[in-house]
Structures are given as C-alpha cells and as structure tokens.
Amino acid sequence: MRVLLVGGAGYIGSHVALRLSERGHIPVIYDNFSTGHRRFVDRFEVIHGEMADYECLRHFLKDIDAVMHFAAKACVGESVSMPREYYATNMTDALTLLNATVDAGIGKFIFSSSCAVYGAPERLPITETTPRCPLSAYGHTKAAFEDALKSYSAAYGLKFVALRYFNAAGADESGMLGELRSTETHLIPLVLKAASGQSAEVSIFGNDYETPDGTCIRDYIHVNDLASAHVNALDLLIHKEESDVFNLGTGIGFSVLEVISAAEEVSSLPVRRLVLPRRPGDSPVLICDGTYAKNRLHWYPQRGLTEILRTAWRWQISNTAVEQAIVC
Ligand SMILES: NC(=O)c1ccc[n+]([C@@H]2O[C@H](COP(=O)([O-])OP(=O)(O)OC[C@H]3O[C@@H](n4cnc5c(N)ncnc54)[C@H](O)[C@@H]3O)[C@@H](O)[C@H]2O)c1
C-alpha cells in the first residue's frame, strides 16, 4: 500500500515509516518540517507541504491508499497558554487533511491521538471506555478530532483507527532515528541531557502529588512498539474494514523520580534535579490498560523502560553535536 504519512518526518512518524517499508508498504512523507527532519526520511519519497494546503494535499493524495496523520502541535503545557495555535493546527488544519482525504476517495485513516484525552481519570488503569475529560487544549483538540473521525466515518464511509499513545520514548535500535527537538519538553530526553551535561539539571514539576514519591507517574512506550502498532492498525483496516480506537501503552507506570534513577543507572552518571511547582494540564497518574489492543490489534509491547533508556541514551550521545547545531 502507498501510505501518506502527514507529519512523517517527526519523531514517531519517521519510526513508523521505517516499519511500514520493512513490511512491504510504500511510505510517502508529507511534512512542513516545522519540527521534523529531512534526514530522518531521506530514503523515502518526501513532499514538503502544509497540512492546511488543500490543493497540495489533493494533488498528492491521487495515488495514495491510506493516510496516517501525525502532524500536530504537541506540548500539553504550551497548549494551556496558547490554545489558539493548538486549535488552528490540530483542528482547523487537520480537518483540511480529513476533507482532502475523503474528497480523494481514500477510505483508510490512522490518527495519532493521545492519553491526554482522558485528563485525570479516577479509575486506573485506563481503558478505551474510560470517560474522556481532557485537562488541556491539546487534549481537547485530540478528543475533538476523534469525534470528527466518528462523524466522517458515519457519513462518508471512512474507516479510521485512532491510536491513543501514552508517553512515547526511546529510539530506533539502528541509532539513525530518535527524539530531536529544538525545544525539548519530554522527560526522558531532558533527563538524559542532564546526565550528559548538556543541561545543568532536570526540572521536576511538582513533588506533592498523591503518588508514592509525590511525582507524576506515566506509562512509557517504546517508539518502535508504537511503530508496529501502526502497521497492525493498517492491517486491521485492510482486512476488517472497521473503525476502532486503541490505547497504546505497557500497563506499567513509572514516576519521574523512578525514571531519573533508571537513567542514572543506564548512563552511569548522576542527574541533578530542580523541583518546581506543578504545571497546569498535568495529570498525576496515567497508566494504560492495553488489553483491547492485545486482543483486537494483536499488539504486544516488546520493550520496557530499560530498553527505552538504553536506546535513547545511545541516540542522545551520538547526536549531541547535531542537537547543539539545531539549538544554535
Ligand atoms: N511524543 C509523544 O509522546 C506523543 C504522545 C501522544 C501523542 N502524540 C502525538 O503523536 C504525533 C506525533 O508526535 P511526535 O512526537 O512525533 O511529534 P513531532 O513534532 O516530532 O512530529 C510532528 C511532525 O509533524 C510536522 N508538522 C507539524 N505541523 C505540520 C503542518 N501544519 N503541516 C505539515 N506538517 C506538520 C512536523 O514538522 C513534524 O515532522 C502528534 O500528533 C502528537 O500529538 C505524541
């Protein structure tokens, strides 16, 4: 299948592109390179385009069989203070992509949703039927786009899979792909930067949550496990032609302090910490119940926190020079 990966030059999209090509599909990357990197996808067909550009999308969707949608603004904290930008990209521009997809007669769509749709659920672990109650504009845009997919599916026959990722982390085992952002907000790269001396310390936002050590707990899922879930989701759309929504996580939660300790062990270096007040929009605990994905998507996460940190550390030390150039 020829699959258009919108936002495919980013962290998760580039790993998915690699897995798709290994499984015999043809990834076509569509990206504006606002946070993505050409070198992540230089072996594939690449289109430099905006998600808001309906005509450009229609042109390139002509010979496409399925669409995977990764492009988004994706910082929970920033979305609370800049909701306008988040609704513009994650809703208005994303709807342009959805309209272009339907108008092109493409019936398969896979969406990068997020556990941020759940907010701070009372019951853990989180299943797909846990009520959605986002705490941030980011989470609201993800929930709203899921709703749009349901409406479009009912009206236009589009089949979709929405994948609610928990915290994506780690890097490809090849050492060629990983997290690379000019402004990093994700915990694991920030902890490893502090370990390697690229930053003085790692900030901990709140140590007074109702968790065993007072810091937030998250479910970290290796990016290559996420990548294989996309291939399985595409198979589901090909063979079953039914829309569905899946949580993607390991079912195991780690606190911020546990992640820092594990990173110290993997890197054999100490990590300095700075405790700051809680951030608006952060949930205390997010842990996935992945039973439905196992049963229906036949998807089993293969890698745990140590493997996540090992691959991320390897990526971090081999890309320090590149990162510094991007930051400059
Ligand atoms: N990283 C995580 O832990 C995580 C967790 C849950 C959900 N998600 C979702 O997964 C998706 C991918 O996340 P990521 O971490 O790979 O982010 P990323 O920033 O690395 O990738 C996003 C890609 O989209 C491109 N893009 C952004 N706006 C665009 C536009 N208007 N037109 C064309 N291209 C555009 C960027 O250049 C980039 O290549 C996002 O939708 C994000 O909300 C990520």
Side-chain angles (χ1 to χ4, degrees):
M1 289 225 147
R2 277 176 68 83
V3 185
L4 192 75
L5 280 73
V6 180
Y11 170 50
I12 298 169
S14 59
H15 286 78
V16 174
L18 200 55
R19 289 289 92 72
L20 283 170
S21 72
E22 285 170 3
R23 296 276 287 268
H25 297 290
I26 303 166
V28 179
I29 311 298
Y30 187 98
D31 205 292
N32 69 359
F33 296 96
S34 53
T35 57
H37 306 279
R38 200 169 271 274
R39 76 177 171 101
F40 283 6
V41 287
D42 53 11
R43 78 205 75 178
F44 305 121
E45 188 179 334
V46 175
I47 300 148
H48 191 151
E50 286 290 339
M51 188 165 56
D53 189 341
Y54 178 85
E55 294 306 329
C56 183
L57 283 165
R58 279 303 306 272
H59 178 77
F60 288 105
L61 282 166
K62 270 184 203 139
D63 57 354
I64 292 293
D65 304 300
V67 172
M68 293 190 179
H69 167 36
F70 302 92
K73 290 188 75 67
C75 297
V76 172
E78 184 186 66
S79 79
V80 177
S81 54
M82 298 169 53
R84 193 169 173 154
E85 284 80 355
Y86 277 72
Y87 279 93
T89 302
N90 299 1
M91 280 306 299
T92 310
D93 297 351
L95 284 176
T96 301
L97 168 64
L98 191 55
N99 291 335
T101 302
V102 168
D103 293 347
I106 295 166
K108 298 178 184 63
F109 195 98
I110 297 177
F111 171 53
S112 300
S113 189
S114 165
C115 61
V117 299
Y118 295 113
E122 281 169 18
R123 282 202 182 176
L124 294 166
I126 301 167
T127 70
E128 288 79 0
T129 55
T130 298
R132 296 177 314 164
C133 196
L135 295 178
S136 63
Y138 171 69
H140 278 290
T141 62
K142 292 291 179 185
F145 195 78
E146 285 185 359
D147 292 342
L149 284 170
K150 271 186 215 148
S151 304
Y152 276 54
S153 179
Y156 309 126
L158 174 83
K159 302 296 175 213
F160 73 88
V161 173
L163 299 173
R164 294 177 181 156
Y165 314 154
F166 281 61
N167 285 56
D172 187 59
E173 286 81 3
S174 69
M176 293 185 310
L177 301 172
E179 282 184 270
L180 190 58
R181 299 186 178 90
S182 55
T183 309
E184 188 52 75
T185 57
H186 293 79
L187 180 67
I188 287 182
L190 289 171
V191 171
L192 296 178
K193 274 180 206 296
S196 68
Q198 272 189 73
S199 63
E201 73 244 326
V202 63
S203 299
I204 298 174
F205 295 98
N207 64 354
D208 56 353
Y209 285 97
E210 282 184 25
T211 58
D213 65 23
T215 63
C216 288
I217 294 176
R218 294 288 180 271
D219 183 333
Y220 295 90
I221 177 77
H222 195 283
V223 64
N224 272 344
D225 283 327
L226 285 186
S228 31
H230 287 75
V231 180
N232 292 14
L234 184 60
D235 283 345
L236 188 77
L237 288 178
I238 294 169
H239 298 297
K240 296 258 195 269
E241 294 195 5
E242 284 168 12
S243 297
D244 222 330
V245 179
F246 297 98
N247 284 346
L248 298 180
T250 61
I252 303 168
F254 293 95
S255 73
V256 175
L257 291 179
E258 285 173 328
V259 170
I260 294 174
S261 298
E264 288 180 323
E265 209 162 294
V266 165
S267 65
S268 305
L269 289 165
V271 174
R272 286 171 61 93
R273 311 111 204 254
L274 175 68
V275 178
L276 294 171
R278 295 179 182 196
R279 275 184 312 202
D282 275 346
S283 311
V285 185
L286 293 171
I287 299 175
C288 173
D289 181 333
T291 311
Y292 188 57
K294 284 186 184 124
N295 291 343
R296 179 140 174 81
L297 210 50
H298 308 297
W299 175 77
Y300 307 87
Q302 306 286 319
R303 304 156 182 90
L305 185 64
T306 305
E307 189 55 20
I308 285 175
L309 285 164
R310 267 204 210 113
T311 52
W313 179 238
R314 181 171 171 212
W315 167 255
Q316 173 95 23
I317 46 181
S318 61
N319 280 277
T320 302
V322 180
E323 274 189 70
Q324 280 165 350
I326 286 178
V327 174
C328 295

